[in-house]
Amino acid sequence: MQITAAITRGTGEPFEITTLELDDPRAGEVQVKLTATGVCHTDAIVRDQVYPTPLPAVLGHEGAGVVEKVGEGVTTVAPGDKVVLGFNSCGSCPQCLSGKPAYCQHFYDYNFAGTRPDGTSALSDGDTAVSSHFFGQSSFASHANVSARSVVKVDDDAPLELLGPLGCGLMTGAGSIINSLSVGAGESVAIFGTGAVGSAAIMAAAAVGATTIIAIDLVDSRLERAREYGATHTINSGTEDLAARLAEITAEQGVNVALDTTGVTAVTRQAADAVGIKGRVGLVGAPALGDEATFEVGASLLKGWSFRTIIEGDAVPQDFIPRLVHLWRNGQFPIEKLIKTYPLDQINQAFEDSKSGETIKPIVTF
C-alpha cells in the first residue's frame, strides 16, 4: 500500500515528505494507522548519524494509532484497538526472559538496523529499499508495520494524540525515577536537563512523594515550567553557582538521587558531585560514541555512591505505559503541559523547536 512518510536521505539533511510503498505485515507484526508520534532527541542524533542507521530511513519511535491488520500469530491486539508503540526486543535472550527487554542482547539489531531480523525492509521508494522498523516501528509515517513486541494496547478512550511519547522519552524519564533509581517518598532529587525526559522525571519524582525536586537547566523558560509539574527548586547552571546552590538547598548534605538527562559528559560529572553519602546517580542522556566522563575518586570512596546507565527507564512497555496512563488520568503525570502539535509537513520545524527549547515535547499528527 502507498503511505505518506517523512524520510531522511542523508546525514543531517531535513526530513522530506514523500510517498512510499509499505508491504503487508509479516508474522508477528501489526499494521498500525498512526494518529500521532512524538519527536525525540534520539531521532535527531540518528538523522545526524551520531548513532548510525542505514539511510535512507523513516525514523520515529513514539507512535500511537489504531490497529488495521495483524500478521500471523499475533494475539495481543486486534483490528480497531488503540495502541501506543514502544521499543523492540527479541524476547528470547537472557535479558528479555528475565524481564529486562531494554537490555536485550540484540537491541541494536531490533531497533537500529533498519530491517526486520530476516534482513527485509517494510518500506520502498520505487526500486530503492528504505530503512524501516526503527525501534520496531518507524512511526514518521501515516502507516507502519510494527513488531508485536512494540505494541501496547490502551483504553478505547485514550487520547492518542497525547500518549505517543510514553513509548520512549516520557517512559525513560519516569522509569528512571520509579524503576531504575527507586526514588522514595521524602527523598531529594536533582534532575539535570528539563527537556522531555527530565520533565517526565520531575513529574514522576513528585508522583512518588520526593519532597525536594531540583530542576537544573540553562533555559529559564523551561525552569519556570518545571515548577508547574513538580519542581520545588530550580537552578540555571549557566548564571548561578551550581555547587553553592545545591549546598544551600540540601544543607550541604547533597541529594539522594541525581539524574543526568543531557548527554553532556561534563554534566554527568556535576551529577556525581551533587549526591551525598550513599547517593545514586543515573545517566539517560545519549553522548556521542567514545565520549568519556571522569569522576573524583578520593572523596567518592567516603560517600559509597552508585552510578548506573539507564535504557528506556528499565521499563517493560506493556506493563509501564498503562501505569503512566493511570497516573495521567489521576492528574499526577500532566504530559499535556509539555506538548505542542505539528502536522507532518511541519516536522522539520518541530525538530527546530525541540532543539531551541521552544517546545519541550513536539508531537507530529497525521
Side-chain angles (χ1 to χ4, degrees):
M1 66 180 292
Q2 288 192 327
I3 66 168
T4 302
I7 187 173
T8 180
R9 297 188 184 274
T11 302
E13 290 185 7
F15 290 93
E16 173 193 333
I17 309 304
T18 190
T19 300
L20 300 176
E21 192 71 24
L22 177 70
D23 66 10
D24 291 327
R26 305 284 180 87
E29 291 184 348
V30 177
Q31 190 167 93
V32 176
K33 181 178 181 180
L34 275 300
T35 300
T37 184
V39 165
C40 179
H41 178 63
T42 303
D43 296 306
I45 62 176
V46 172
R47 174 200 62 193
D48 298 340
Q49 295 287 278
V50 176
Y51 284 15
T53 282
L55 301 180
V58 174
L59 305 178
H61 63 288
E62 294 182 340
V66 179
V67 175
E68 290 202 333
K69 299 178 183 178
V70 297
E72 180 184 351
V74 175
T75 60
T76 51
V77 293
D81 285 346
K82 286 188 172 183
V83 294
V84 172
L85 309 179
F87 64 89
N88 197 10
S89 55
C90 74
S92 58
C93 73
Q95 298 303 321
C96 287
L97 292 175
S98 62
K100 301 179 180 67
Y103 302 93
C104 173
Q105 290 180 208
H106 308 287
F107 192 89
Y108 176 85
D109 293 338
Y110 279 77
N111 292 281
F112 289 90
T115 65
R116 299 178 171 102
D118 67 3
T120 62
S121 172
L123 297 169
S124 59
D125 182 11
D127 295 330
T128 302
V130 175
S131 286
S132 66
H133 289 78
F134 184 63
F135 277 72
Q137 53 186 280
S138 288
S139 58
F140 286 164
S142 60
H143 298 73
N145 289 341
V146 180
S147 165
R149 287 184 61 80
S150 297
V151 175
V152 181
K153 187 178 184 301
V154 294
D155 296 336
D156 289 341
D157 64 346
L160 293 179
E161 69 282 355
L162 185 66
L163 300 183
L166 295 181
C168 184
L170 303 188
M171 176 172 69
T172 295
S176 296
I177 293 296
I178 296 171
N179 302 328
S180 312
L181 298 170
S182 302
V183 173
E187 287 202 294
S188 57
V189 183
I191 309 294
F192 289 77
T194 58
V197 175
S199 295
I202 291 167
M203 293 177 185
V208 300
T211 48
T212 300
I213 304 171
I214 307 165
I216 302 162
D217 206 300
L218 298 172
V219 182
D220 284 330
S221 60
R222 284 188 174 189
L223 293 171
E224 291 169 9
R225 295 176 68 177
R227 287 186 176 272
E228 298 177 14
Y229 37 79
T232 60
H233 301 77
T234 60
I235 302 173
N236 185 320
S237 56
T239 60
E240 301 177 74
D241 185 325
L242 176 61
R245 287 283 286 124
L246 287 170
E248 174 190 353
I249 294 167
T250 65
E252 300 187 354
Q253 297 301 301
V255 294
N256 299 119
V257 171
L259 179 66
D260 175 18
T261 72
T262 70
V264 178
T265 54
V267 176
T268 306
R269 169 61 188 267
Q270 292 176 329
D273 291 342
V275 296
I277 294 173
K278 301 300 290 182
R280 288 120 52 209
V281 179
L283 172 64
V284 296
L289 296 174
D291 280 2
E292 297 183 356
T294 61
F295 304 110
E296 190 280 332
V297 177
S300 291
L301 289 173
L302 301 178
K303 291 201 302 186
W305 64 282
S306 60
F307 172 82
R308 62 160 305 179
T309 57
I310 300 167
I311 301 175
E312 299 289 350
D314 286 294
V316 178
Q318 289 75 11
D319 164 69
F320 198 61
I321 288 175
R323 290 163 61 190
L324 293 180
V325 173
H326 287 312
L327 285 176
W328 171 77
R329 289 189 185 280
N330 290 339
Q332 295 175 281
F333 202 64
I335 54 181
E336 65 277 3
K337 294 180 180 292
L338 308 179
I339 71 165
K340 179 179 177 181
T341 59
Y342 300 76
L344 180 62
D345 62 6
Q346 293 182 18
I347 188 171
N348 290 307
Q349 187 63 52
F351 273 86
E352 285 299 316
D353 289 353
S354 177
K355 181 179 179 180
S356 70
E358 174 73 20
T359 303
I360 293 178
K361 174 50 72 171
I363 294 181
V364 171
T365 56
F366 298 89

